[in-house]
Amino acid sequence: MRKLSRYKLLYFAVLPLAFIAVGTLGSQVRGRIDLTTGQLYTISPPARERLLDLDEPVSISYFLSPRLESYSAEPERIREYLEEFAATSPLVELRVLDASEPEHRDTALELGLQPQQLTDNDSESQSLISVFSGVVVQAADESRRVLPFVLDSEEFEYELISSWDEMVAERTPEIVVMSGNDELELRSAYQNALLRLSERFTVRLLEQGDELPLTADMLFLFGNKDLRTVTVLQIEDFLAAGGGVMLSVEGVHVQLDDELSARELNRSDLDLLLERYGVRVSRELVVDRYHMLVPLAGAGGNPESFVSYPHWIELLSRNAAPGHALTEAVTGLDLFWPSRIEPVGDAPSELNLTQLYTTSYEGRVMDSPFATNPALGDDIYDRVWREGGDRIGVVMTLSGRFPPAPGATAELTTERGRLLLVGGGYTFSDFLELGEDPMRNLRFLTAAGHWLASEEDLLALLGRSSRDLRLTGIASSNVRAAVVNLAQWVNIVAIPVAVLLFGAVRIIRRRRFKGVDAASL
Amino acid sequence: MRRVLALTKKELRIHFSSPFVYLAAALFLSAASLWFFLIYGFLARDTASLRGYFAAMPLLLVIVIPALTMKGWAEEYRRGTSELLLTLPLRSVELVIAKYLGTMVVVLSMVLLTLPVVFLLIPLGEFDSGQIATEYIGTVLLSGTAVALGLFVSVWCTNQSTAFIGAAGLLLVMTLIGRLAVVVSLPAPITGIFGYISLDTHFDGFIRGVLDIRALWYYLWLTALSLYLTSLVLEARRSA
């Protein structure tokens, strides 16, 4: 009896303690398997490469307010990523600092970290508290980069590695930006685009006719309505010297302040230059059966409604050239009143032309007279309806060795330039920020900068956080809605009812069987 | 093992003869889809992800699992069949495992019936298959732990209602405790402990597509601990 009591003592007291001890020890073991496509939450090969190339110590400080962790799981994910990052190289020292402590908070502010306001629910007065989630990367030579506030674990690696590269290179690629439309002044009409670009690049604004600085890596030109010959010559020289150029161009100009009247642009020096490269911007407007809706103010003060507008085309991954570094890095692009961009004649053999985006297979082109009034709705598309339809090119890239200007005295270069042609004069203006995803064109702009600067690694990192998760598998919105309705009906009603019927039949049969069984006895 | 399987079959027969099981399964399937399609707004969000669907699992299981486990031991006590059960030549652990496996088969059948959601929606976009796999792994682990906790509550109770309320209360607390810090200001160590205890916190990684060893360990360990404690209580009753 005494032996049994001892056994029970072991069973009731010692084993539970052992269980708790094992549980506590087990919780210290860290490790994870990332099963997401592209291993989204695991350190990427480009990041690993940079760490393995390190030959001097780097310190990373993550200033984090613990209060923020109770609101969002993102700081924990960022911390886990940084821990994995630091574990990859012995030269990386990671410090996670409690930014609620005055000493660390002061340091964070001195370093340029930006706290965000959070409502303190605990307080009766619903007061605001400041929270930090910022990262400081510092090299041995005291140069540093600051991520003022990070709360998106999916974009974090891109932001960290971009800053890392800036710190190592001690400069960011420089973009010269010009407007080719005299009615759209850069600072007022392209505020968001410029702000976005300046997050990753050194941005310099120039007027047409200004001299291009020698330090420029890229030239971005928004619109071509009022493009001057001197600018076209600059583009030609810049490309021949191996620079990167992005042109948002149009063959038909739509006047925003004149009831959207549209007119063909005269052939210009830019057209001649592009034709030398084997590309043409047509004097037609491209419309697509799969298009977006625009808000339309109702008459007599009625609330606004949304109408189909075939001139607003949403280019998604299904419209993109597969496997291209640029299209893989973005979720797409929105174009208003796009012009067709197509190959023409024979392109120089050293230039590689890629049709980056096309319309859906039901794209159409509209000749003059152009119908652009949103009130026409789907009629706009029907007016140009013809049997058959095609994918119509609206964005194109050219890369390779660009020929120098005829008769140019400059030496022939072996540098390889890059040209991105986007068929829409307003594509990156603030005016277009009314889509389902207003950030889409801005993200494309950042990606275009990386592509033109040949920063393929950063493009790949950007692509990890820019997967197109929208429901684009079925192009027709009617079919898509029908599939979702079917899924709703099946899962909310049909399957639960089937389960209940199955149960009822089974229980009734069982009771009958029992009844028969009892009667036979 | 053969004895355990025989007892598991008996448990399954009992489960599948109970209208409560079918009601709980129908409620679970309908509520999960109702939430996902009509309240969460899958179509309106226009995102090829089932995160919203699986994010509701911890709270749904708070209601559904106790409905399945409330009969576990409480019903045996009420009908007096526990006396017979405890005199069987089976160890307490074997009895507990048989009950657990019986209930888990029911839960797994319910989880399998959620697959039509996946298959019907996959043509709509580029869903991440790895993420869906971890979401299912997480749901199975979470359910397994919830069943073990539910049976642990049931072993203390002599009627089903008490077992249901007790298990639902325990699961609710263990699910929401990790979010307490959102409403109440707590010291960082307490927030950390609550986060570690919470069933919901550990589920988060699975929803994102990540199998975290700590989360795996947490669910398996808590399941084993609950089953072990249940067997201890049973053993104590046996020797009483």
Side-chain angles (χ1 to χ4, degrees):
Chain A
M1 187 68 192
R2 181 163 288 185
K3 273 185 184 174
L4 188 67
S5 299
R6 277 183 189 160
Y7 167 74
K8 283 199 170 167
L9 183 71
L10 177 81
Y11 200 73
F12 283 99
V14 180
L15 279 180
L17 288 177
F19 244 115
I20 290 165
V22 171
T24 312
L25 285 174
S27 68
Q28 304 303 313
V29 179
R30 291 192 170 217
R32 54 186 187 152
I33 306 163
D34 185 349
L35 291 180
T36 53
T37 306
Q39 295 202 302
L40 198 58
Y41 302 104
T42 306
I43 189 165
S44 68
R48 204 173 288 275
E49 259 173 42
R50 281 158 176 80
L51 287 166
L52 296 176
D53 287 346
L54 265 184
D55 47 16
E56 286 188 335
V58 168
S59 83
I60 299 177
S61 304
Y62 182 26
F63 291 84
L64 175 64
S65 303
R67 195 85 180 91
L68 190 59
E69 287 186 280
S70 56
Y71 279 81
S72 164
E74 292 295 289
E76 171 67 13
R77 291 172 196 164
I78 289 168
R79 185 212 301 254
E80 280 179 5
Y81 177 84
L82 285 172
E83 283 168 355
E84 191 186 345
F85 194 80
T88 309
S89 169
L91 291 171
V92 176
E93 183 203 4
L94 172 67
R95 292 183 307 157
V96 180
L97 303 166
D98 181 349
S100 64
E101 288 179 15
E103 168 198 356
H104 295 318
R105 188 176 56 230
D106 293 346
T107 313
L109 289 170
E110 272 172 32
L111 289 169
L113 267 64
Q114 290 167 359
Q116 301 289 310
Q117 301 292 315
L118 196 69
T119 308
D120 185 5
N121 292 327
D122 193 36
S123 155
E124 283 179 9
S125 57
Q126 291 276 306
S127 61
L128 290 173
I129 53 168
S130 293
V131 288
F132 287 85
S133 176
V135 174
V136 178
V137 185
Q138 187 160 327
D141 62 359
E142 298 293 306
S143 60
R144 73 165 77 99
R145 281 293 180 277
V146 174
L147 302 178
F149 191 83
V150 285
L151 201 61
D152 182 346
S153 59
E154 294 188 4
E155 266 199 19
F156 178 67
E157 185 175 50
Y158 165 72
E159 291 190 17
L160 180 71
I161 299 301
S162 313
S163 303
W164 183 280
D165 285 357
E166 284 169 22
M167 191 176 72
V168 172
E170 293 179 347
R171 79 182 285 269
T172 53
E174 185 175 328
I175 299 179
V176 166
V177 183
M178 289 187 202
S179 174
N181 180 343
D182 290 346
E183 289 153 21
L184 297 181
E185 206 271 321
L186 284 174
R187 283 190 181 80
S188 55
Y190 293 95
Q191 276 185 30
N192 294 319
L194 298 177
L195 199 65
R196 178 79 182 187
L197 284 174
S198 60
E199 286 173 7
R200 290 282 164 258
F201 307 98
T202 303
V203 177
R204 188 183 290 220
L205 309 186
L206 291 188
E207 299 281 336
Q208 287 195 68
D210 289 348
E211 198 172 328
L212 290 184
L214 293 171
T215 50
D217 299 286
M218 289 166 274
L219 171 63
F220 278 32
L221 194 83
F222 297 137
N224 59 313
K225 182 173 78 75
D226 304 305
L227 205 61
R228 300 192 185 115
T229 304
V230 61
T231 312
V232 177
L233 289 172
Q234 283 176 323
I235 293 169
E236 189 173 23
D237 289 345
F238 200 71
L239 284 168
V245 176
M246 195 288 298
L247 302 175
S248 66
V249 289
E250 57 193 2
V252 176
H253 181 69
V254 174
Q255 198 67 30
L256 297 179
D257 54 7
D258 186 20
E259 296 179 337
L260 303 183
S261 63
R263 65 175 173 85
E264 290 177 23
L265 292 182
N266 295 328
R267 270 172 66 79
S268 67
D269 291 333
L270 180 67
D271 291 290
L272 294 173
L273 176 67
L274 292 179
E275 282 168 18
R276 275 185 60 214
Y277 298 155
V279 186
R280 180 170 63 194
V281 180
S282 77
R283 266 49 185 169
E284 299 154 319
L285 288 177
V286 177
V287 290
D288 196 341
R289 180 180 291 281
Y290 300 111
H291 50 255
M292 304 295 286
L293 304 174
V294 290
L296 190 67
N302 289 333
E304 70 178 16
S305 56
F306 284 84
V307 293
S308 278
Y309 197 51
H311 288 293
W312 182 2
I313 300 177
E314 189 187 34
L315 301 170
L316 305 173
S317 52
R318 63 171 177 253
N319 306 86
H324 194 284
L326 181 50
T327 54
E328 297 280 312
V330 295
T331 56
L333 184 68
D334 279 15
L335 294 183
F336 258 91
W337 307 293
S339 298
R340 181 208 292 250
I341 295 182
E342 58 189 349
V344 60
D346 291 326
S349 58
E350 288 160 315
L351 276 184
N352 180 27
L353 275 64
T354 305
Q355 194 79 69
L356 202 63
Y357 281 106
T358 66
T359 61
S360 76
Y361 59 91
E362 293 198 69
R364 303 276 186 271
V365 287
M366 177 186 280
D367 303 318
S368 179
F370 303 104
T372 52
N373 186 351
L376 292 170
D378 276 327
D379 282 352
I380 293 173
Y381 184 79
D382 295 335
R383 279 186 187 198
V384 290
W385 189 89
R386 289 194 287 266
E387 279 301 325
D390 209 350
R391 291 185 178 275
I392 298 167
V394 283
V395 180
M396 187 175 262
T397 60
L398 292 85
S399 57
R401 198 160 72 84
F402 284 81
T409 51
E411 283 182 27
L412 273 177
T413 174
T414 54
E415 295 293 329
R416 302 177 72 78
R418 287 184 169 185
L419 172 62
L420 170 64
L421 286 169
V422 178
Y426 292 109
T427 306
F428 303 106
S429 68
D430 297 343
F431 161 72
L432 279 193
E433 292 215 352
L434 37 77
E436 284 179 357
D437 180 3
M439 294 298 287
R440 183 158 46 208
N441 285 10
L442 299 182
R443 278 198 297 266
F444 182 90
L445 205 55
T446 305
H450 288 312
W451 183 72
L452 291 171
S454 301
E455 295 177 327
E456 318 290 1
D457 272 5
L458 291 179
L459 266 186
L461 289 179
L462 191 62
R464 271 160 69 95
S465 60
S466 307
R467 291 172 305 155
D468 188 0
L469 287 177
R470 282 165 310 145
L471 304 175
T472 54
I474 296 173
S476 161
S477 56
N478 291 336
V479 178
R480 192 165 60 228
V483 170
V484 174
N485 278 335
L486 175 72
Q488 281 183 30
W489 189 85
V490 166
N491 291 290
I492 297 174
V493 181
I495 293 176
V497 167
V499 168
L500 288 175
L501 285 175
F502 175 78
V505 169
R506 195 180 151 82
I507 290 166
I508 290 167
R509 280 181 63 184
R510 195 172 168 79
R511 284 188 180 159
R512 273 190 194 159
F513 176 75
K514 273 187 178 172
V516 170
D517 212 27
S520 65
L521 285 172
Chain B
M1 191 62 195
R2 200 176 294 166
R3 291 178 302 184
V4 172
L5 286 179
L7 204 56
T8 303
K9 277 184 188 167
K10 181 213 136 203
E11 285 300 321
L12 274 176
R13 271 198 301 275
I14 293 171
H15 275 303
F16 285 114
S17 308
S18 162
F20 276 113
V21 168
Y22 296 101
L23 272 174
L27 174 82
F28 168 74
L29 295 166
S30 191
S33 298
L34 201 70
W35 151 259
F36 184 56
F37 289 110
L38 302 184
I39 301 169
Y40 177 79
F42 167 74
L43 184 61
R45 282 174 189 257
D46 193 21
T47 305
S49 166
L50 296 175
R51 266 192 195 196
Y53 186 73
F54 286 95
M57 290 297 159
L59 278 177
L60 274 175
L61 294 176
V62 163
I63 304 295
V64 174
I65 298 290
L68 299 177
T69 57
M70 65 183 184
K71 293 183 78 170
W73 296 105
E75 183 73 354
E76 302 276 5
Y77 296 142
R78 191 185 65 81
R79 292 166 61 181
T81 49
S82 61
E83 307 292 332
L84 177 68
L85 206 59
L86 295 175
T87 53
L88 287 174
L90 286 163
R91 288 184 293 150
S92 301
V93 174
E94 288 176 322
L95 290 173
V96 170
I97 289 175
K99 283 250 181 241
Y100 179 72
L101 290 179
T103 314
M104 274 311 286
V105 170
V106 177
V107 173
L108 289 178
S109 310
M110 283 163 44
V111 173
L112 274 178
L113 285 172
T114 63
L115 283 174
V117 174
V118 180
F119 291 127
L120 282 167
L121 296 183
I122 268 182
L124 291 173
E126 289 181 22
F127 286 83
D128 191 327
S129 54
Q131 188 181 15
I132 293 173
T134 58
E135 283 165 342
Y136 271 105
I137 292 170
T139 304
V140 170
L141 285 168
L142 174 67
S143 310
T145 306
V147 167
L149 287 167
L151 288 175
F152 174 65
V153 172
S154 175
V155 81
W156 291 95
C157 305
T158 48
N159 83 51
Q160 289 186 34
S161 310
T162 320
F164 177 84
I165 293 166
L170 177 67
L171 290 178
L172 189 67
V173 169
M174 288 196 65
T175 300
L176 297 182
I177 198 165
R179 299 178 189 215
L180 196 62
V182 177
V183 251
V184 184
S185 184
L186 295 168
I190 303 286
T191 308
I193 291 169
F194 283 178
Y196 180 71
I197 293 171
S198 169
L199 289 167
D200 191 32
T201 311
H202 295 273
F203 191 58
D204 180 64
F206 293 100
I207 290 184
R208 286 190 298 134
V210 176
L211 288 183
D212 192 315
I213 302 290
R214 285 174 297 173
L216 275 171
W217 177 256
Y218 166 83
Y219 285 125
L220 294 176
W221 173 78
L222 190 56
T223 304
L225 179 67
S226 305
L227 295 179
Y228 172 68
L229 290 176
T230 309
S231 75
L232 282 189
V233 176
L234 218 55
E235 190 64 26
R237 296 214 165 177
R238 239 179 184 174
S239 47

